[in-house]
Amino acid sequence: AGVDPYHYDPDKAKALLDEAGWTDTNGDGVRDKDGLELQLRYFDRSTGDASATTGYITDWLRDVGIATEVSTFDEDSLTALQSKGEYDLFTWGWTPFVDPDQMLSYMTSANVATDPEAGGYNDANWCNPEYDALYDAQHVELDPAKRADQVQQALQVFYDDAPYAVLYKADLLMAIR
């Protein structure tokens, strides 16, 4: 509730790229600036539903003049590359738990990898003190309504900062004993 969703707006994207000085000077369909073509390293994983999105993401980027070099990896290899920050874009999937605490903890500043060889859950290397404070507060809150509000506030901060672009939500049915 209260979320103002992002919408696909290629005209706005083109205008922002033009404003930033990225134009297609040689007519090849890819924007460039100062002799550098706007091409992103896009890493996809070979398992799960995430790879189903690759086609339309590359199409959307191409529509605004951004080229992609797509490489596909198994999850272990992709995790290692993410930890080292050797990507421009990557596609991943998460399956959250019934209680949001653990999933929320992954994106705290404390989970940013300090050792590229070890990796970490915060693969976007995103830090936000407001999010961290909301995570800490909900982690110990006993009033369910107050905690739900803190969780929603944390999710709004995450959404507004956009360290991830959430592409879809898979409906899952889980039975827990």
Side-chain angles (χ1 to χ4, degrees):
V3 172
D4 184 19
Y6 293 111
H7 298 282
Y8 177 63
D9 189 343
D11 291 332
K12 182 176 181 180
K14 289 176 187 177
L16 290 169
L17 288 164
D18 287 343
E19 184 180 312
W22 291 96
T23 59
D24 180 11
T25 60
N26 62 7
D28 68 353
V30 178
R31 292 171 179 270
D32 54 88
K33 180 178 175 180
D34 302 326
L36 178 67
E37 285 211 325
L38 188 50
Q39 179 171 331
L40 304 177
R41 298 168 296 171
Y42 181 2
F43 293 172
D44 197 7
R45 65 185 183 141
S46 58
T47 57
D49 293 338
S51 61
T53 62
T54 305
Y56 70 80
I57 293 171
T58 56
D59 288 348
W60 287 344
L61 292 170
R62 184 177 40 251
D63 287 348
V64 298
I66 301 172
T68 54
E69 179 184 341
V70 178
S71 301
T72 304
F73 301 93
D74 62 65
E75 287 188 6
D76 290 339
S77 299
L78 183 52
T79 298
L81 292 167
Q82 290 168 329
S83 297
K84 295 176 183 174
E86 295 177 357
Y87 63 89
D88 296 309
L89 301 169
F90 68 89
T91 308
W92 196 258
W94 288 99
T95 303
F97 303 95
V98 174
D99 186 281
D101 186 81
Q102 186 168 2
M103 192 73 211
L104 291 170
S105 76
Y106 295 160
M107 298 310 289
T108 61
S109 299
N111 271 313
V112 170
T114 55
D115 177 1
E117 298 303 319
Y121 282 114
N122 189 339
D123 47 22
N125 297 314
W126 175 68
C127 295
N128 182 304
E130 181 183 6
Y131 179 91
D132 292 345
L134 287 164
Y135 169 77
D136 290 342
Q138 72 78 39
H139 183 71
V140 296
E141 182 56 56
L142 297 178
D143 180 304
K146 189 171 181 182
R147 180 173 181 235
D149 182 58
Q150 291 165 335
V151 167
Q152 290 304 311
Q153 288 178 55
L155 291 172
Q156 187 66 52
V157 170
F158 182 84
Y159 183 79
D160 291 343
D161 279 7
Y164 275 22
V166 178
L167 301 173
Y168 65 93
K169 177 189 167 288
D171 290 326
L172 299 173
L173 178 62
M174 296 181 185
I176 298 177
R177 184 173 175 189

